[in-house]
Amino acid sequence: MGLIDFIKDVGHKLNVGGHDEPKAAQQAQGQHPQVPAQAAPQAAQGPSQQDLKALENRKKATALTNLVQQLGLKAENLNVQVDGDKATLTGKVDSQEQREKIVLLVGNSQGIAKVDDQLQVARPEPEAQFYDVKPGDNLSKISKQFYGDANQYNRIFEANRPMLKNADDIYPGQKLRIPALATAGARA
């Protein structure tokens, strides 16, 4: 699929805290736990901006990987690399639907503006369309636009599960999967 754009400041907030946080906070404040005596003069300057950015990128990547796993989306050897506001995904998935759901889950996260999708698909299928939710949209309105029938909204809802918990969970700026009508009922 390549590089997909998202709105950076829209989406669910990542939990990037964790066991490294107290140590990183101490380092950012110039405190250095367990610094050997010979390293003290160099370490007194604290971590560089580059080190802090790298740590933040690793925390985001871990949070995104955990989110994919928590929602039960499956990918063999999933690797998420974050560089600022860009996430790169590698690994292998069973279906195009799983691929698209993982891409959307990562991209619809605050702080992520681009997803470089390098996931490999075991069973290639036609790609679904992506749609950016606008203010005033609901799934019925989107269904009417794509399928000509507002009552087909459940197809869109099902195509975006487990990211959507109910049909009213959409918000402006969110990107949704809109599968082709012929394959819209298929589930992963």
Side-chain angles (χ1 to χ4, degrees):
M1 286 173 48
L3 194 62
I4 300 117
D5 290 322
F6 290 84
I7 298 176
K8 180 179 177 177
D9 298 323
V10 171
H12 59 272
K13 186 172 181 166
L14 291 175
N15 179 8
V16 294
H19 63 342
D20 291 333
E21 199 163 27
K23 184 176 176 182
Q26 287 176 339
Q27 289 175 343
Q29 295 170 2
Q31 302 169 7
H32 300 281
Q34 303 171 348
V35 175
Q38 66 270 21
Q42 181 183 9
Q45 297 173 357
S48 69
Q49 282 298 109
Q50 184 177 2
D51 290 341
L52 291 174
K53 285 181 183 177
L55 176 63
E56 186 65 23
N57 287 340
R58 286 193 303 274
K59 285 183 175 184
K60 282 183 186 177
T62 299
L64 290 166
T65 302
N66 290 340
L67 186 60
V68 169
Q69 292 170 348
Q70 287 169 3
L71 290 183
L73 298 174
K74 306 275 189 245
E76 184 180 320
N77 299 319
L78 177 65
N79 185 22
V80 179
Q81 294 289 319
V82 176
D83 184 10
D85 64 0
K86 177 182 168 190
T88 301
L89 307 175
T90 57
K92 187 173 183 178
V93 294
D94 286 337
S95 68
Q96 182 66 26
E97 180 177 359
Q98 284 289 310
R99 175 190 209 176
E100 292 166 353
K101 286 182 176 186
I102 291 170
V103 167
L104 289 175
L105 181 61
V106 170
N108 284 325
S109 299
Q110 287 184 8
I112 302 298
K114 295 185 181 304
V115 174
D116 185 2
D117 172 24
Q118 297 178 16
L119 293 168
Q120 301 297 311
V121 180
R123 294 184 325 255
E125 303 163 353
E127 293 180 8
Q129 293 181 338
F130 286 163
Y131 175 76
D132 294 325
V133 176
K134 296 170 186 58
D137 275 349
N138 59 47
L139 292 185
S140 293
K141 183 176 177 181
I142 297 168
S143 175
K144 176 76 172 164
Q145 177 182 338
F146 283 91
Y147 303 136
D149 181 359
N151 292 323
Q152 296 294 319
Y153 72 91
N154 201 48
R155 290 183 184 272
I156 299 170
F157 173 67
E158 290 296 327
N160 288 279
R161 287 183 58 154
M163 291 85 62
L164 294 181
K165 304 289 187 250
N166 67 59
D168 297 324
D169 278 349
I170 67 171
Y171 51 86
Q174 180 180 27
K175 200 174 286 280
L176 297 175
R177 290 181 71 242
I178 311 294
L181 192 54
T183 61
R187 294 179 80 181

